[in-house]
Amino acid sequence: MTPPASAAPTEARLLEMVFPDHTNHLGTLFGGQALAWMDKAAFIAASRYARLTVVTARSEQVDFTLPIRQGQLVETVARVVAVGRTSMQVEVELIAEDLLSGERETCTRGRFVMIALDSRGRPAQVAPLPGD
C-alpha cells in the first residue's frame, strides 16, 4: 500500500557491507564508522520528513551492545520519532546480518537530534508528526 503523497516519510534504511577498512584490529566494526552510518541515516530520515536542509545538533546515548564483524551486512534503520518546533529526534539502530545463515541481531542503538534550516542557515519550523 502506497502512502498518500502528502504523508512525509519518517524512516530511512541503508545497507552496508563491513569490509576490512571498516574494522579495528579485532575484525569488528569501528565505533566511529558505526556512528557515521547512523548519522547519515538520521540525516536522510530527517531530510525526507522535513523536506528542508538539516544538520546534526547532537547524538544521544549510543549503546554498542554486540560487535559487528567483518563480512556481515549492516542494515541501518532511522526513524523520526519526535518533532519539536525546529528539531527532530531520530532513533537509529544497526542490525547485523550473517549473509550465509540469515541470522540478524540488533547490535547498536542511538538517538540523534537534527535541526531543520532555512535557506539562510537559520532554524526553520518543522511540521508536527501526524497524530501529534
Side-chain angles (χ1 to χ4, degrees):
M1 179 178 205
T2 304
S6 62
T10 59
E11 184 177 277
R13 291 175 178 262
L14 305 174
L15 294 171
E16 297 281 351
M17 281 298 302
V18 180
F19 290 115
D21 62 325
H22 299 134
T23 64
N24 59 27
H25 64 290
L26 300 173
T28 61
L29 186 65
F30 277 121
Q33 183 65 64
L35 290 170
W37 288 346
M38 294 171 81
D39 187 41
K40 181 179 179 180
F43 164 81
I44 292 169
S47 296
R48 290 180 76 203
Y49 178 78
R51 297 296 176 191
L52 292 165
T53 298
V54 302
V55 294
T56 305
R58 73 177 167 266
S59 60
E60 298 177 345
Q61 185 155 351
V62 176
D63 296 316
F64 297 89
T65 54
L66 294 170
I68 299 172
R69 304 198 181 290
Q70 179 181 318
Q72 289 185 307
L73 179 68
V74 176
E75 182 174 16
T76 307
V77 181
R79 292 180 186 92
V80 176
V81 296
V83 174
R85 192 176 70 76
T86 64
S87 66
M88 292 156 281
Q89 291 188 34
V90 183
E91 288 185 354
V92 184
E93 60 184 357
L94 295 181
I95 303 160
E97 179 178 332
D98 182 288
L99 286 176
L100 300 179
S101 70
E103 183 180 340
R104 293 169 52 90
E105 293 183 294
T106 299
C107 298
T108 307
R109 292 180 192 269
R111 185 177 284 237
F112 290 73
V113 177
M114 312 302 284
I115 304 294
L117 302 177
D118 66 16
S119 60
R120 293 188 217 168
R122 296 183 303 203
Q125 189 163 347
V126 178
L129 280 170
D132 281 353

